[in-house]
Structures are given as structure tokens and as C-alpha cells.
Amino acid sequence: MASTTTDAASHAAEAASAPGMPQLDFSNWGNQIFWLLITLVVIYFVLSRIALPRIAAVLAERQGTITNDIAAAEELKAKAVEAEEAYNKALADARAEAQRIIAETKAEIQAELDDATAKADAEISAKAAESEKAIAEIRAGALESIQEVADATANEVVAALGGKADADAVTKAVADRMKG
């Protein structure tokens, strides 16, 4: 075990006497800075000649797509506004046409109603005239019947009272009395 301890101590002594990390060794810094500059220049040329143009092309394409999409959207919006205006105009025309049809139909119905009313009034007038004529005939017949009954009754009353009545005089007296 003693040999293991001496080995460890010898390794520790070697590590302490070693120069350390090569990046931190000042004797190598000039060389490291040279290669750092070469690497940065190569990265710059690779990025500027290959990667950045591709990225710029993608960005330009994306911007073009966005611009085209916005233009198409504005065009579609304009078409939608035109379609809405056409729809509203068609709707207004349809409403106006419906109002015209309603007015015509009302006028036709009113004309038919007026004709039917005039026809009914004429029929009622004709029936009323016929009824008045029939009533007048009935009244005239009733007056004649009343006059005949009154004549007969007057003749019977005069005969019952013991007098002799003149038929013309009794008829004249009854007629005068009926006139009022």
C-alpha cells in the first residue's frame, strides 16, 4: 500500500509541474488568435454568401405572399361589398314589386267588392220596390175589403135600426169617413 501512496504523490507532483491547459498557455496565444480570426472570417463568408441570401430569399418570398394575400383579401372584400349592394338592391326591388302586387291586388279586390256591392244594392232595391208594390197592392186590397165590410156593416146597422138606407149614400159616407 505504501507503493500506491508514493505513486499518487508522484502523479500529483507531475501535474503541478505540468504547464496546464494549452488555451491558457501564453506561449500559444498568438497562434490561437490567428486561427480564431481565420475561423471567424470563414464563418462570415459562409453566412454572407450562402446562409443569409437564403434567409433573405425566404423572407422576401414570405413578404410577397403576405402582400399578395392582403391584395387578394381586399379584392374579395370589394367583391363582397358589391355582392352585398347587389343583394340589397335586389331585396329592395323585390319589396317594391311585392308592394306593387299588393296594391294591384287590393285595387282588384276593391273593384270586385264594389261591383258585388253595386249588384247587391241593385238586387235589394229591386226586391224593395217589388215588396213596396206588393205592400201597396195588399194595402189597397185591404182598404177595399175594409170599405166593403164597412159598407155592408153600415147597411146592416141602418136596416137594423129600422131605416132604409140608400146604398150609394152609405158608400159615400163610409168613403168620406175613411179619408179622414
Side-chain angles (χ1 to χ4, degrees):
M1 202 74 189
S3 74
T4 325
T5 336
T6 43
D7 285 337
S10 68
H11 286 298
E14 283 178 29
S17 66
M21 292 178 63
Q23 298 93 324
L24 300 178
D25 186 10
F26 288 113
S27 63
N28 296 330
W29 271 29
N31 194 18
Q32 289 178 8
I33 290 176
F34 171 77
W35 285 111
L36 175 68
L37 290 176
I38 295 292
T39 306
L40 289 178
V41 168
V42 167
I43 290 173
Y44 171 77
F45 280 113
V46 167
L47 287 177
S48 67
R49 304 290 178 188
I50 298 171
L52 291 179
R54 288 182 184 172
I55 292 172
V58 168
L59 290 177
E61 180 182 342
R62 183 180 291 167
Q63 185 61 37
T65 302
I66 291 171
T67 304
N68 291 340
D69 289 348
I70 289 173
E74 288 177 1
E75 182 179 325
L76 290 175
K77 181 180 178 183
K79 286 181 181 179
V81 167
E82 289 175 9
E84 182 181 13
E85 289 173 357
Y87 169 76
N88 288 335
K89 183 181 181 304
L91 186 61
D93 291 345
R95 284 185 180 153
E97 181 67 17
Q99 291 297 327
R100 185 189 62 76
I101 290 171
I102 289 171
E104 286 179 3
T105 305
K106 280 184 180 180
E108 289 174 8
I109 290 172
Q110 188 63 42
E112 290 174 5
L113 184 62
D114 290 345
D115 289 345
T117 303
K119 192 181 286 184
D121 286 345
E123 289 177 9
I124 291 171
S125 296
K127 287 185 180 182
E130 288 177 18
S131 298
E132 286 178 11
K133 184 178 176 184
I135 290 171
E137 289 175 3
I138 292 171
R139 183 174 282 153
L143 286 176
E144 285 179 22
S145 297
I146 291 173
Q147 193 167 3
E148 289 175 9
V149 170
D151 283 345
T153 305
N155 281 331
E156 293 288 324
V157 170
V158 170
L161 290 177
K164 180 150 176 29
D166 181 18
D168 289 334
V170 171
T171 303
K172 186 176 186 274
V174 169
D176 286 344
R177 191 68 175 152
M178 285 184 74
K179 287 181 184 174

